[in-house]
Amino acid sequence: MSERHVELLAIGAGPANLALAVALSEVAPPWLVENSLIVEQAEDVTWQRGMLMPWARSQVSFLKDLVTRRNPTSRFSFLNFLHAVGRLDDFINTGSFTPHRMEISAYLRWVAENVPVPIEFNKRAVGIQPIGLESGDLTGWRVTFSDGSAIACRNLVIGGGRDARVPEVFQSLPAERVIHSTEFSERIGKLDRSEAHRIAVVGAAQSAGEMLWASYQDFPHAQLTLLMRSIGLVGYEGSKFTNELFYPSFIDEFHSSHPVARHQMLEEMYRTNYGGLAPDLLNTLYHQMYQDRLTGTERIQMVGMTDVVATHMDGDDVVLTLTDRKTGNSDSLRCDMVLLGTGFVRSMPAHIRDLATSLGLADIEVDRHYRMLIPGQTGAGCYLQGVNEATHGIADSLLSVLASRAGEITADIIQQYEAGSVSSRAA
């Protein structure tokens, strides 16, 4: 097995670690930039690969890019990207603060191509082991990859996102009959557009709504059924007062709060990011269903207050057993394909849990600067990005805090190098 060493290794070339790369390039000493590396399991940088429909838009302002809220003069801003590719005037003329999703993806790819921190693709991490743990002096991390190679580092930043949530009831179905939103764009195109498909969409949030609308447009003969536990579709909570809770400055307030208060805040903010749809998509779906009723061509059915309690195959049919939450009555739905808008597992991803087990940690905690807490003396740091809602607030997995978080992690790494090995609970 070949092995090499870098000072800083970041797993995942998504927005979180690209923001980190920009922060490193702007404030870190050159030797650290030169000895840092980002690895990505995919063949390129693509944002929300599974939901990259041409019409899909971001729900946040373009000013919440990788850098603007930390350094508004940076050459890696979204506005400078537009200027560089000759589209600044056109974007301004749209009068919109929310770019198309494909344009954000193109921006991220442009940053990846221009930032001085190297990025290697087709590198899927399969294991992380602590170095020096046996001697009681943790000095680094060894990350192994599917190609048999390994990279050792002193500082590790994990920013690969959360695990897709596939409810257990769907896991026994053939894989080719179930599409999670993370794979939607890549797999849905394999269906024959001319056939009269029966498609069930599970969920009541933005991803479910987008898959429903995309399927309606792409398969003109399909019958679509949206299944949801809630009473019906609702919009995101997006008032100006609510949006202040996504300020980077709110992280300090949230982090310093008692656990019970944190839980309350997360519950009250649920509809700002989960369980709702953007107003434009809600209106589009409603007006299309109304128009279909007028013309007698109804192809969308929405079924609320419903649980999918069992699934099985009957010949070539997928059969979903449904329970009505209002009455307790059971029914069944036959379909050809199930689309899951069920989001992501909110607990720590499996690879982080495995790392914690290897460290002997019962709980996974990070300090205010996103550094994993490990008892004892250590000079090695492990930072977690995008998985700290419980301690850093609901914005942790979103674009809103990317720039500021990247700056905080970079500053902490630099401080640790300047201070040398530290003897505190923050690893």
Side-chain angles (χ1 to χ4, degrees):
M1 178 184 292
S2 61
E3 180 172 317
R4 51 188 163 139
H5 181 274
V6 296
E7 285 297 317
L8 189 157
L9 178 66
I11 299 176
N17 280 336
L18 289 176
L20 178 70
V22 172
L24 286 167
S25 70
E26 293 182 342
V27 302
W31 66 265
L32 181 55
V33 177
E34 294 166 3
N35 287 280
S36 295
L37 175 67
I38 298 175
V39 290
E40 166 59 45
Q41 65 178 350
E43 63 184 5
D44 59 20
V45 170
T46 301
W47 187 55
Q48 296 194 8
R49 190 182 302 270
M51 299 293 287
L52 208 58
M53 287 79 74
W55 44 265
R57 304 184 77 93
S58 166
Q59 275 78 63
V60 300
S61 167
F62 68 88
L63 294 172
K64 297 180 179 181
D65 59 15
L66 301 181
V67 67
T68 295
R69 300 179 90 171
R70 177 182 60 81
N71 176 15
T73 64
S74 172
R75 70 184 183 95
F76 292 106
S77 69
F78 180 76
L79 285 180
N80 194 48
F81 156 72
L82 292 174
H83 176 72
V85 299
R87 233 178 11 253
L88 181 57
D89 286 341
D90 290 339
F91 181 81
I92 293 172
N93 200 40
T94 66
S96 174
F97 269 80
T98 54
H100 285 88
R101 196 172 289 156
M102 62 188 300
E103 191 156 37
I104 294 180
S105 187
Y107 160 63
L108 298 178
R109 192 174 302 116
W110 174 81
V111 170
E113 292 169 352
N114 288 278
V115 75
V117 176
I119 303 174
E120 295 183 5
F121 297 97
N122 298 306
K123 296 284 288 185
R124 183 170 66 88
V126 295
I128 305 170
Q129 298 86 34
I131 300 173
L133 189 63
E134 302 83 0
S135 64
D137 185 16
L138 184 61
T139 59
W141 315 92
R142 179 178 290 107
V143 181
T144 53
F145 298 91
S146 57
D147 61 4
S149 64
I151 299 176
C153 62
R154 174 176 173 179
N155 286 292
L156 178 67
V157 183
I158 303 177
R162 294 177 293 174
D163 298 330
R165 179 176 174 268
V166 178
E168 185 176 356
V169 69
F170 299 103
Q171 294 178 15
S172 61
L173 291 174
E176 65 271 15
R177 297 302 191 97
V178 180
I179 301 178
H180 189 270
S181 62
T182 54
E183 303 176 312
F184 177 73
S185 293
E186 299 167 275
R187 293 184 53 196
I188 197 66
K190 296 177 182 179
L191 298 184
D192 188 340
R193 290 170 55 93
S194 64
E195 291 188 11
H197 300 288
R198 298 164 299 168
I199 300 175
V201 184
V202 180
Q206 184 72 15
S207 59
E210 289 185 1
M211 289 191 294
L212 181 70
W213 180 234
S215 299
Y216 181 92
Q217 296 177 91
D218 292 344
F219 303 101
H221 306 294
Q223 291 294 320
L224 301 150
T225 304
L226 182 69
L227 303 170
M228 49 192 157
R229 292 178 297 179
S230 58
I231 193 172
L233 297 180
V234 296
Y236 281 128
E237 168 56 52
S239 74
K240 298 294 189 294
F241 293 103
T242 299
N243 283 338
E244 288 190 355
L245 304 180
F246 288 85
Y247 288 0
S249 56
F250 182 69
I251 298 173
D252 285 327
E253 182 176 343
F254 188 92
H255 189 268
S256 62
S257 299
H258 294 302
V260 173
R262 290 178 185 171
H263 179 75
Q264 177 186 337
M265 286 187 277
L266 287 175
E267 289 299 309
E268 291 188 13
M269 293 179 69
Y270 181 82
R271 271 184 52 199
T272 64
N273 186 46
Y274 306 109
L277 280 74
D280 287 349
L281 181 57
L282 277 176
N283 289 334
T284 296
L285 289 171
Y286 188 85
H287 286 295
Q288 186 62 62
M289 293 176 69
Y290 181 80
Q291 181 178 330
D292 288 351
R293 285 194 292 270
L294 284 177
T295 59
T297 57
E298 296 175 68
R299 295 198 291 119
I300 298 175
Q301 180 185 15
M302 293 189 179
V303 184
M305 297 295 290
T306 297
D307 289 310
V308 181
V309 296
T311 64
H312 69 275
M313 296 297 298
D314 181 16
D316 201 40
D317 286 355
V318 177
V319 182
L320 308 181
T321 302
L322 311 178
T323 296
D324 188 319
R325 288 187 156 203
K326 302 186 297 294
T327 65
N329 295 334
S330 293
D331 198 358
S332 62
L333 174 70
R334 290 178 177 266
C335 60
D336 307 309
M337 182 68 66
V338 180
L339 309 181
L340 297 180
T342 48
F344 298 87
V345 178
R346 297 182 72 176
S347 58
M348 288 289 179
H351 57 280
I352 297 178
R353 297 198 304 271
D354 291 343
L355 175 59
T357 299
S358 70
L359 292 167
L361 299 177
D363 299 308
I364 303 169
E365 300 178 81
V366 296
D367 67 10
R368 174 60 184 81
H369 301 296
Y370 307 93
R371 188 180 179 96
M372 186 185 289
L373 301 178
I374 304 172
Q377 180 173 339
T378 175
C382 180
Y383 298 82
L384 308 182
Q385 296 217 66
V387 293
N388 303 303
E389 280 191 2
T391 54
H392 288 68
I394 201 167
D396 190 68
S397 62
L398 308 177
L399 299 180
S400 300
V401 299
L402 287 178
S404 58
R405 182 176 64 205
E408 291 177 11
I409 292 175
T410 298
D412 194 67
I413 291 172
I414 294 171
Q415 191 276 328
Q416 299 297 330
Y417 276 110
E418 291 175 345
S421 185
V422 293
S423 54
S424 70
R425 288 195 71 238

